[in-house]
Amino acid sequence: NPYAGLVSHLRASWLSGKTRPMEYRMAQLEALGHFLDEKKQEILEATAADMGKPPFEVELSELLLCKNELHETLNNLSHWMKDEKVDRPLATQLDSAFIRKEPYGVVLIVAPWNYPIYLILGPLIGAIAAGNCVVIKPSEVSKNTERLVVEALPRYLDKDCFAVVTGGVQETTRLLENKFDYIFYTGSPSVGRIVMTAAAKHLTPVTLELGGKNPCYVSDTCDVSNVARRVVWGRFFNAGQTCIAPDYLLCTVEMQEKLMPALREAITEFFGSNPKESPDFGRIVGDKEFQRIRALLCSGRVAIGGQTDEAERYIAPTVLVEVQPSDPIMQEEIFGPILPIIVVANMDEAIDFINSRDRPLAIYAFSSNDKVVNQVLEQTSSGGFCGNDTLMHVTLTSLPFGGIGNSGLGMYHGKFTFDTFSHHRGCLKRGMGWESLNAPRYPPYSQKKFKIVKATSKVTRKADCTLL
Amino acid sequence: NPYAGLVSHLRASWLSGKTRPMEYRMAQLEALGRFLDEKKQEILEATAADMGKPSFEAYFTEILLCKNELNITLNNLCHWMKDEYVDKNLVMQLDSAFIRKEPYGVVLIIAPWNCPINLVLAPLIGAIAAGNCVVIKPSEVSKNTERLFAEMLSCYLDNDCFAVVTGGVQEITRLLENKFDYIFYTGSPSVGRMVMTAAAKHLTPVMLELGGKNPCYVSDTCDVSNVARRVVWGRFFNAGQTCIAPDYLLCTVEMQEKLMPALREAITEFFGSNPKESPDFGRIVGDKEFQRIRALLCSGRVAIGGQTDEAERYIAPTVLADVLPSDPAMQEEIFGPILPIIVVANMDEAIDFINARPQPLAIYAFSSDSKVVNQVLERTSSGSFCGNDTLMHVMLTSLPFGGIGNSGQGKYHGKFTFDTFSHHRGCLHRNMGLETLNGLRYPPYTQQKLGLLTATFEVKRRSTCTLL
C-alpha cells in the first residue's frame, strides 16, 4: 500500500508520546495561526483561482472562522485537557473518579473543495488540540488550494506527526485501506457510505459531514425585504457552493408573489444589474460541476437570472418558479446559485414536504411569529436549525455542527471538535487498603451482605420535578 | 424482508410524535421499573437456568444496576431534556442560541447473553429517555432470558413503539438490512465489524461495545491478599463471562510467587474447597462456549483449579502459570473462569506488552505506589481504567463506559446513554428585524464592512493560563 509507510511513520511518532504535552499542541496550533497570517495572500489567490471566491468571502469564511476556532481552542485547551472529576456513590467516596481526555492516535481528515481551508483547519485544530497525529487529504478538485496546502502547510507543522497526501478517488481508496484511529470526512453522502464501510473493517470511529437539500420555509407573516436579503445572501454566497446554503424555498403563492420583486431587488443590490461583472460573486469550481448545475435550469421557469457562461463557469444568481417536486432540481443537492421556489398551501404542508424527504444539514424558517418558527423547529428534524436567517448558526463555536441521517453523523466546532477527536476514558483509582469495605461483595454471598451492597451503591429515586 | 413491516410500524409511531412528551417517556421508564420488580423471580430463574448465575450476582448486576440507571434517568430526565443555552458572540446578543436534544427515531439494540437483562435495559433506558422507538434483539444464546423478554416485555412497554425480535445470525442479518436511525451493539469485534458495515449502507450512526483481553498489572509493592481477593472477584464473577473481567495478569516472578498462595486462599474463601458445590459460582452458558474455554486450559501449567465437568458446563476457578504469549489462552478473549499469569521483568515491560496488543475495554493496575498506577494509566490506552480494583468503575453512572479501537466506539451509562441516543441540534433563532446589523455582511463587499464585521465576530486570543 503506497501510504503504509507514511501511516506507520506517524504511528511511531504517536507511540513516542510526542503529541501529548499541552505545550507541544499549543505550539502546533500557534503555527497554524502563522500559516493563516503569512499565507493569507496565497490563500486569497488560490481560492480565487479555484472558484472565483471573492476576497471578502475568503476573509470571512476561510480566515476569520478558522482564527476563531484557533483562538477558542488556544484560550481553552488547558481547561479542556483537564481530568473531569465526577460524582461518586457511597461505595466509592474515598476514591478518585474522573474522565480523562485522550487522543485516539493517528487520525485522517478528508476535506472537500468548497471551503478548502476552513474545512481542513476546522477539524485539524481539534485533532491537534486533542493530541492526535493527522493525515490530511485536501480535495483534488480545488487544485490551487490543494497545491498550497501540500507545499506550505507541512512547513508549519511537525512533519513527524502531520502529513498532507494528495490524489483523487483511487488514492483515497488506497489510503482508506490503512488503519486509522479516527476518520473525519466532509463531502457527499455516497462517498460517506464508502468511507464508513472502509472504516468498519478496522472498527474506526467516524464523523461524517455530508449534505442534502436544506429547505427554507417563508411564512406569510414576515418582513419580505429582510427575508429576501438574508435568503439571497445565504443562497449565493460562494456561488451557492455551501453545504448549509438554503437549497429550496417553500412558501404560499401569495408570499411568492411578494418575494419575487424583493429577491430581484436584493440580487441587484448585492451584485448589480449584471452579476457577471460583480467582483463579489463567485464561479463554479469545475467544468463537470458547471454542467451538472446548468442542467438543473430546465426545472420550472426561470423568474430571475438564468444566464450562464461556460468559459467562465459563470451561472447567474437564479430564481426558479413553478418547480415541481419531480423536476431535476429537486432530485439532488443543487450546490450552485439557483433557488427553486416550491409553492405550498400553508405551514403544515411545508412541514410535511420537509418530513417526507431525507433529513437535511440545516432547516431554515422565516416568520415574524415566533410560534411559527418554533413549530417548524419542533415538527422537523435536521442537523441544525436557524430561524429568520441563513448560515449564521455555524458561526457560533458554542453550537454543535453536524448532520443527521443522510446529512451525516457526529458533530464539531469549538470544544465539540476537541471532544470528537478525544477518547473519554472513565477512570477510577481506589485505595490499596480499606479491604473491609469490599467484603460485602465477595462470596460466600448472603442476604445480609447484599443489603450492605445495595445500601452503598444504590441510586434512589428522587421526588418528581416539573419540566420548566 | 421479514422485519420490514415491524420497522415501518414503529416508524409510523415515531412520526406520530407519540414518544416525544416527557410524561410518555417517564411512564415507559416507570413501567420498566415495574418489570424489574414484578419479574424479579423470573429474572433470577432465567439467568440461573442460562448460566447458573448466582442470585446475588443476578440481583446485583441485572436488577440493582438497572434500577440505578433507571433512577438516575427518572431523577434527571426533565433536566437532560431541556434546551441548553450557549454562549453567543456580539452579533447574536439579542438572539436565542441553544442545543436541542432530539430523538433519532427508530433505534436497534442488540444485546449479548452474559449479562442479558442489564445489557438490554441499560441502553434501552437511555433510548426511551431520549424519545426513540426501539427494536430490541436479545441474545438467542441465553435462551431463557430471551424467552422472558419476548413474552413479558410487551406487557410493560407500548407495543406501538417498542418491540422484541428473536433469532440467530440469519435473523440479525435480515434485521440489519432495514434502515435504523441508530444501532447499539454489544458483542464481539468480528460481529461489530459486520454491524458497522451494514449500518454504513444507511449512514446509520452506531455504538459498539466490544471486547478484548483486559490486562491486569500487579506491581511488586502491594497488599498481596487484598489484590488476590479483588482479582479473584473480578475474574470469576459470572464464571468469568464478563466483558470487563481481568483477562490475564502481568507481574514479576517474585510477585507471582507471593500471589499464588493468596489467589488459592481467596478462591477457597469465596467458593470453598470444592467450588463445584458452591452456590456462588456460575456455569458456562453453552456447550460450544464450554468447549472453546476448556481448550484454553492447555496453555502453560494449571497452578490452581483446572477441573471441568461437561454435563454441568462447569469449569473450576483456574489459574495458569508459565503462560507464553503464543499460548492459546493469549490468542483470544477468555470469557471464562481462567486467569493466566504472564511473567514480566518490570512495569515497563508490562506496559510494552499491553501496548503491543489491541486496545482493551479495561486496564487494571495494582500498586500501593500511586505513581505506578498513574504511569500505567498514562502510558496505555483503553476504554476505561481502574486502579487497585476490578470491575468497580462501571458501577458509577457518572463515568462514561465504552471501548476504543478493537474494544469499541461510543460511550454510555447514566446521562451518556441519553446523549448517545440523542441528536444534538444546534439552533439559532434570530430576530426578523434589526436588519442594519446584517448590512455589514452583504455585498457589495468593502474593506470597511470587513473591518466592522471582524470586530463583531471575532474570538480574541486571551493571554495564556497555566495548566494547574
Side-chain angles (χ1 to χ4, degrees):
Chain A
N1 187 290
Y3 302 102
L6 171 68
V7 177
S8 76
H9 177 78
L10 258 53
R11 197 168 290 287
S13 304
W14 152 250
L15 289 169
S16 77
K18 205 173 181 194
T19 59
R20 308 301 291 259
M22 186 179 83
E23 296 71 26
Y24 175 88
R25 306 181 200 184
M26 300 278 281
Q28 297 301 307
L29 293 172
E30 305 270 16
L32 277 185
H34 299 320
F35 167 77
L36 288 172
D37 291 334
E38 293 167 17
K39 294 298 169 194
K40 181 166 116 164
Q41 196 49 41
E42 287 85 342
I43 292 172
L44 292 173
E45 287 167 7
T47 50
D50 279 332
M51 65 203 94
K53 205 183 279 240
F56 184 102
E57 291 185 3
V58 182
E59 292 261 16
L60 184 56
S61 64
E62 304 260 38
L63 300 176
L64 179 59
L65 291 186
C66 284
K67 277 296 196 74
N68 281 357
E69 291 283 345
L70 208 52
H71 292 167
E72 179 79 18
T73 305
L74 288 166
N75 287 343
N76 294 290
L77 185 56
S78 73
H79 178 64
W80 294 349
M81 279 177 70
K82 290 201 180 103
D83 290 338
E84 244 181 82
K85 291 189 168 10
V86 300
D87 289 337
R88 297 157 298 176
L90 204 57
T92 50
Q93 272 299 309
L94 299 172
D95 308 322
S96 177
F98 55 95
I99 303 169
R100 175 158 295 189
K101 317 302 170 64
E102 300 187 340
Y104 276 104
V106 179
V107 308
L108 170 64
I109 293 173
V110 180
W113 51 262
N114 59 329
Y115 289 87
I117 301 294
Y118 180 47
L119 295 177
I120 290 176
L121 257 58
L124 179 62
I125 287 164
I128 294 177
N132 299 282
C133 290
V134 191
V135 174
I136 298 147
K137 165 69 186 70
S139 169
E140 72 283 12
V141 177
S142 43
K143 287 187 285 291
N144 296 282
T145 325
E146 185 198 38
R147 194 179 313 126
L148 173 66
V149 170
V150 131
E151 285 169 3
L153 197 59
R155 283 192 244 134
Y156 288 84
L157 297 175
D158 180 351
K159 291 189 183 56
D160 278 342
C161 302
F162 308 102
V164 180
V165 307
T166 57
V169 174
Q170 314 263 49
E171 287 80 5
T172 308
T173 307
R174 302 241 56 204
L175 186 59
L176 285 169
E177 286 164 16
N178 293 279
K179 176 177 156 75
F180 290 97
D181 303 306
Y182 202 97
I183 298 176
F184 189 106
Y185 169 76
T186 306
S188 73
S190 53
V191 179
R193 280 184 186 83
I194 295 171
V195 171
M196 188 169 172
T197 304
K201 292 188 176 57
H202 298 289
L203 289 170
T204 299
V206 302
T207 288
L208 307 174
E209 290 280 331
L210 310 177
K213 293 180 74 59
N214 305 316
C216 181
Y217 170 64
V218 180
S219 88
D220 286 344
T221 36
C222 65
D223 181 323
V224 178
S225 48
N226 287 358
V227 171
R229 268 190 297 268
R230 297 173 197 189
V231 170
V232 161
W233 178 70
R235 169 74 284 187
F236 301 118
F237 194 91
N238 200 27
Q241 298 161 117
T242 308
C243 55
I244 41 154
D247 186 275
Y248 64 96
L249 209 131
L250 292 163
C251 64
T252 60
V253 69
E254 294 82 21
M255 179 45 57
Q256 183 185 250
E257 219 168 300
K258 293 181 189 160
L259 259 179
M260 204 56 71
L263 290 167
R264 197 171 280 118
E265 189 172 327
I267 290 172
T268 309
E269 186 187 315
F270 289 6
F271 308 116
S273 49
N274 185 9
K276 194 164 156 192
E277 289 166 13
S278 167
D280 301 334
F281 183 70
R283 296 293 183 264
I284 306 306
V285 72
D287 297 324
K288 192 178 84 168
E289 293 78 8
F290 172 86
Q291 279 149 28
R292 178 189 68 76
I293 302 165
R294 183 176 59 181
L296 304 176
L297 287 168
C298 65
S299 312
R301 172 174 67 78
V302 173
I304 303 172
Q307 302 89 349
T308 69
D309 180 337
E310 187 154 2
E312 277 196 43
R313 293 195 294 273
Y314 166 81
I315 297 179
T318 300
V319 178
L320 303 176
V321 292
E322 290 157 29
V323 177
Q324 299 300 316
S326 52
D327 282 332
I329 202 153
M330 291 305 290
Q331 307 317 314
E332 58 188 82
E333 184 174 357
I334 296 166
F335 226 68
I338 305 174
L339 180 70
I341 302 182
I342 304 249
V343 162
V344 288
N346 49 46
M347 179 187 72
D348 287 333
E349 211 180 275
I351 288 172
D352 287 344
F353 190 96
I354 293 170
N355 287 340
S356 60
R357 285 162 174 71
D358 289 331
R359 289 181 284 192
L361 203 42
I363 288 177
Y364 300 108
F366 286 84
S367 182
S368 307
N369 182 349
D370 282 351
K371 287 204 196 69
V372 170
V373 172
N374 284 328
Q375 263 214 292
V376 179
L377 169 59
E378 266 159 46
Q379 292 181 30
T380 60
S381 175
S382 61
F385 178 91
C386 188
N388 294 330
D389 212 336
T390 58
L391 313 191
M392 290 294 279
H393 57 295
V394 309
T395 63
L396 267 182
T397 54
S398 53
L399 281 180
F401 177 66
I404 184 174
N406 248 49
S407 54
L409 49 112
M411 60 205 185
Y412 77 122
H413 282 185
K415 179 171 189 282
F416 300 108
T417 321
F418 175 86
D419 284 338
T420 284
F421 283 105
S422 302
H423 170 62
H424 291 221
R425 193 179 189 189
C427 303
L428 181 66
K429 285 198 279 189
R430 313 206 73 200
M432 179 58 77
W434 300 101
E435 185 63 353
S436 49
L437 295 178
N438 293 332
R441 75 193 201 211
Y442 297 145
Y445 298 136
S446 71
Q447 277 286 81
K448 185 169 121 167
K449 278 180 170 180
F450 190 76
K451 281 201 170 72
I452 301 172
V453 165
K454 191 168 166 184
T456 53
S457 56
K458 75 186 281 208
V459 173
T460 37
R461 178 90 168 84
K462 288 205 304 271
D464 294 328
C465 80
T466 42
L467 181 67
L468 290 166
Chain B
N1 187 289
Y3 302 101
L6 172 69
V7 177
S8 78
H9 176 76
L10 257 54
R11 198 168 289 285
S13 304
W14 152 251
L15 290 169
S16 77
K18 206 173 181 194
T19 58
R20 308 302 289 260
M22 186 182 81
E23 296 73 25
Y24 175 88
R25 306 181 200 186
M26 299 279 282
Q28 298 301 305
L29 293 171
E30 305 269 20
L32 277 184
R34 289 197 299 278
F35 167 75
L36 287 169
D37 291 334
E38 292 167 16
K39 295 301 168 196
K40 181 175 99 178
Q41 199 48 40
E42 285 84 345
I43 290 171
L44 296 177
E45 286 168 6
T47 50
D50 280 331
M51 63 203 94
K53 200 179 283 230
S55 52
F56 183 104
E57 292 182 5
Y59 215 124
F60 188 9
T61 59
E62 308 270 32
I63 297 178
L64 178 60
L65 291 186
C66 289
K67 279 295 198 76
N68 282 357
E69 290 286 340
L70 209 51
N71 288 343
I72 271 277
T73 305
L74 288 167
N75 288 344
N76 294 289
L77 185 57
C78 76
H79 178 66
W80 294 349
M81 277 178 71
K82 290 201 180 106
D83 291 337
E84 241 180 85
Y85 285 88
V86 300
D87 289 337
K88 295 175 289 190
N89 57 28
L90 205 55
V91 161
M92 293 174 194
Q93 281 303 309
L94 300 171
D95 304 323
S96 183
F98 55 94
I99 304 169
R100 175 158 295 187
K101 318 302 171 61
E102 299 188 340
Y104 276 104
V106 180
V107 308
L108 170 64
I109 294 173
I110 300 176
W113 52 262
N114 61 325
C115 215
I117 305 290
N118 184 314
L119 296 175
V120 164
L121 254 55
L124 179 61
I125 286 165
I128 293 177
N132 299 282
C133 290
V134 191
V135 174
I136 299 146
K137 166 67 188 72
S139 170
E140 72 284 10
V141 177
S142 44
K143 287 187 285 291
N144 296 282
T145 327
E146 184 197 40
R147 192 179 316 127
L148 178 68
F149 274 125
E151 287 171 9
M152 303 207 180
L153 206 56
S154 56
C155 306
Y156 289 85
L157 296 176
D158 180 353
N159 294 329
D160 277 340
C161 301
F162 309 102
V164 178
V165 307
T166 58
V169 174
Q170 315 263 47
E171 286 79 7
I172 294 188
T173 308
R174 304 243 51 206
L175 185 58
L176 285 169
E177 286 165 14
N178 293 279
K179 177 178 155 75
F180 290 96
D181 302 307
Y182 200 97
I183 297 175
F184 188 106
Y185 169 77
T186 306
S188 73
S190 54
V191 178
R193 277 182 189 83
M194 255 185 51
V195 171
M196 188 170 170
T197 305
K201 293 188 176 60
H202 297 289
L203 289 170
T204 299
V206 301
M207 165 132 182
L208 306 173
E209 286 283 328
L210 310 177
K213 294 181 74 61
N214 306 317
C216 182
Y217 170 65
V218 180
S219 87
D220 286 345
T221 35
C222 66
D223 180 321
V224 179
S225 50
N226 287 359
V227 171
R229 267 191 298 268
R230 297 172 196 191
V231 170
V232 161
W233 177 70
R235 170 73 286 187
F236 302 117
F237 195 92
N238 200 29
Q241 298 160 114
T242 309
C243 57
I244 40 154
D247 186 275
Y248 65 96
L249 209 131
L250 292 161
C251 64
T252 60
V253 68
E254 294 82 24
M255 179 44 58
Q256 182 185 246
E257 218 166 302
K258 293 182 189 159
L259 258 179
M260 204 57 77
L263 291 167
R264 196 172 282 117
E265 188 173 326
I267 289 171
T268 310
E269 183 187 315
F270 290 6
F271 307 115
S273 49
N274 186 8
K276 197 164 154 192
E277 290 165 10
S278 167
D280 301 333
F281 183 70
R283 295 295 183 266
I284 307 306
V285 71
D287 296 324
K288 192 178 83 173
E289 292 79 7
F290 172 85
Q291 278 149 26
R292 177 190 68 77
I293 303 166
R294 184 177 57 182
L296 304 178
L297 285 169
C298 63
S299 313
R301 167 178 68 79
V302 174
I304 303 173
Q307 303 89 349
T308 68
D309 181 336
E310 189 153 1
E312 278 196 42
R313 292 196 296 274
Y314 166 80
I315 296 179
T318 300
V319 178
L320 302 176
D322 303 338
V323 178
L324 297 171
S326 53
D327 281 332
M330 289 307 290
Q331 306 316 315
E332 58 187 82
E333 186 174 357
I334 294 167
F335 226 68
I338 300 172
L339 180 70
I341 301 182
I342 305 251
V343 161
V344 288
N346 48 45
M347 180 188 71
D348 288 332
E349 213 179 274
I351 288 173
D352 288 344
F353 190 95
I354 293 170
N355 288 339
R357 287 161 174 72
Q359 293 151 306
L361 202 42
I363 289 176
Y364 299 107
F366 286 84
S367 181
S368 306
D369 182 352
S370 60
K371 284 202 201 69
V372 169
V373 171
N374 283 330
Q375 271 224 343
V376 177
L377 169 59
E378 267 160 46
R379 290 163 57 184
T380 61
S381 173
S382 62
S384 46
F385 178 93
C386 187
N388 292 331
D389 212 333
T390 59
L391 312 191
M392 288 296 280
H393 57 293
V394 308
M395 294 243 319
L396 275 81
T397 53
S398 52
L399 281 180
F401 178 67
I404 183 174
N406 248 49
S407 55
Q409 47 178 273
K411 55 191 191 261
Y412 79 123
H413 281 183
K415 180 172 190 283
F416 300 107
T417 322
F418 174 86
D419 284 338
T420 285
F421 283 106
S422 301
H423 170 62
H424 291 223
R425 194 178 189 190
C427 303
L428 180 66
H429 189 165
R430 312 206 72 201
N431 205 286
M432 178 58 75
L434 303 174
E435 182 66 350
T436 38
L437 295 177
N438 294 332
L440 293 175
R441 74 194 201 209
Y442 297 145
Y445 298 136
T446 68
Q447 273 294 91
Q448 188 194 55
K449 278 181 172 179
L450 184 63
L452 289 167
L453 202 57
T454 304
T456 55
F457 259 103
E458 67 177 343
V459 171
K460 284 193 161 62
R461 177 91 170 84
R462 283 203 311 265
S463 53
T464 42
C465 81
T466 42
L467 181 67
L468 290 165

